[in-house]
């Protein structure tokens, strides 16, 4: 990690500097939550366009809900891992911090991170298809598939499907943080889904130091300042130790 320390010296990072982290499914891999793409990915056995689109839901809400309930059950039984907890330490230490996550699993919040922009929603919330009202009080597993709102309309998962816009407030928080931050960590994302994949590039263009943590290369790897190759649960706690030591003045 010598090069990280060198880069931090050049950047002059301080405790008061704005810091952001962008996470993807890889940050939850060591908790036992499947990623989307790759060898062990969720979509090896399911076709995304059959499940994670508004058209799929309109066509066959029960099948889409079966898939989401299956994932809700897996995730409810999992625990945050050292990578989630390392990010919580950053949230606690840096006054100007934002975690931007593409994950819908809620594990960051369960690890204690408080300042989070959930770009793609949350698997444990539901939204009424009639009036858009959001709630989070459905049990796991579901007792009725597809579940219905008290008004009688279908409920849908409060997540962002392909072709849908991201929640405006979360989008603005994320892109504002990317433009302002002095350091961005990019952890466990394949960086192929837009607009989230552009966030590190916005940060880089605005002058931030951008550090990627991933066992595999991604389309970002050649564009960032440093690629730390490895699993988030092993690499991130060491990165956070270095960041806290470096800014401990
Ligand atoms: C580890 C690890 C370990 C493993 N440690 N790392 C511009 C260009 C081209 C296309 C588009 C574009 N703009 C929009 C699009 C279309 C589309 C898109 O991006 N398509 C591309 C795939 C081509 N985007 C959209 O449709 C978005 N909407 C939009 O842009 O709307 C605009 C609009 C305008 C006007 C009108 C209307 C709309 C919406 C995208 C929504 C994405 N939703 C999903 C599903 C959420 C619900 C659910 O969970 O079911 O979000 S798709 C899925 O991918 C999920 C994830 O959040 C997202 C990203 O995946 P992620 O997190 O990167 O996971 P993986 O599996 O891909 O990667 C895991 C990584 O971890 C790997 O790199 C591993 O190596 C690594 N790893 N173990 C660290 N231990």
């Amino acid at each position: 990690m010598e090069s990280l320390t060198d880069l931090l010296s050049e950047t002059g990072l301080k405790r008061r500097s704005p810091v952001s982290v962008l996470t993807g499914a890889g940050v939850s891999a060591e908790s036992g939550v499947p990623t989307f793409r790759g060898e062990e990915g969720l979509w090896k056995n399911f076709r995304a366009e059959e499940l994670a689109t508004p058209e799929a839901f309109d066509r066959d809400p029960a099948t889409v809900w079966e898939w989401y309930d299956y994932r809700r059950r897996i995730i409810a039984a999992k625990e945050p891992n050292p990578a989630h907890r390392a990010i919580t330490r950053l949230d606690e230490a840096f006054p100007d911090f934002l975690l931007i996550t593409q994950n819908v699993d809620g594990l960051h919040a369960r690890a204690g991170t408080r300042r989070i922009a959930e770009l793609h929603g949350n698997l444990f919330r539901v939204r009424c298809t009639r009036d858009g009202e959001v709630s989070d009080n459905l049990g796991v597993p579901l007792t009725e598939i597809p579940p219905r709102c008290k008004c009688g309309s279908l409920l849908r998962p409060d997540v962002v499907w392909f072709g849908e816009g991201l929640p405006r407030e979360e989008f603005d928080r994320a892109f504002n943080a990317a433009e302002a931050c002095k350091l961005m960590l990019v952890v466990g994302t394949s960086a192929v889904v837009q607009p989230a994949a552009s966030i590190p590039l916005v940060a880089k263009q605005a002058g931030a130091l951008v550090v990627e943590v991933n066992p595999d290369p991604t389309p970002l790897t050649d564009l960032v300042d440093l690629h730390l190759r490895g699993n988030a649960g092993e690499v991130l706690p060491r990165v956070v130790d270095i960041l806290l030591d470096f800014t401990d003045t």
Side-chain angles (χ1 to χ4, degrees), residues 87-165:
I87 293 168
T88 300
R89 287 166 60 208
L90 292 179
D91 185 18
E92 288 166 354
F94 287 87
D96 190 348
F97 174 85
L98 185 66
L99 169 63
I100 305 161
T101 188
Q102 298 167 82
N103 296 348
V104 297
D105 60 25
L107 286 174
H108 284 300
R110 280 170 57 195
T113 302
R114 297 165 73 100
R115 289 171 290 178
I116 312 178
E118 287 184 321
L119 285 182
H120 294 163
N122 190 302
L123 208 52
F124 295 95
R125 290 195 306 257
V126 290
R127 199 188 324 147
C128 176
T129 53
R130 189 177 63 88
D131 63 10
E133 192 190 345
V134 172
S135 61
D136 57 4
N137 55 3
L138 281 194
V140 180
L142 292 170
T143 49
E144 179 195 19
I145 289 186
R148 290 195 176 268
C149 182
K150 52 188 180 310
C151 75
S153 306
L154 277 177
L155 290 168
R156 58 163 284 176
D158 188 29
V159 299
V160 182
W161 285 323
F162 283 114
E164 295 186 315

Side-chain angles (χ1 to χ4, degrees), residues 154-248:
L154 277 177
L155 290 168
R156 58 163 284 176
D158 188 29
V159 299
V160 182
W161 285 323
F162 283 114
E164 295 186 315
L166 275 58
R168 188 77 234 175
E169 193 184 324
E170 310 291 287
F171 178 96
D172 287 346
R173 287 172 75 206
F175 277 83
N176 289 340
E179 274 171 7
C181 70
K182 197 149 189 175
L183 168 70
M184 175 173 281
L185 305 179
V186 183
V187 186
T189 176
S190 59
V192 294
V193 174
Q194 296 292 350
S198 299
I199 289 174
L201 303 179
V202 170
K204 179 85 190 115
Q205 261 172 4
L209 174 67
V210 181
V211 177
E212 181 181 52
V213 178
N214 200 308
D216 293 323
T218 74
L220 288 177
T221 301
D222 290 338
L223 306 172
V224 297
D225 296 288
L226 182 65
H227 174 84
L228 296 172
R229 187 175 179 165
N231 290 331
E234 290 154 26
V235 176
L236 211 48
R238 286 161 52 211
V239 168
V240 171
D241 284 345
I242 291 169
L243 291 176
L244 296 188
D245 275 356
F246 186 86
T247 55
D248 185 25

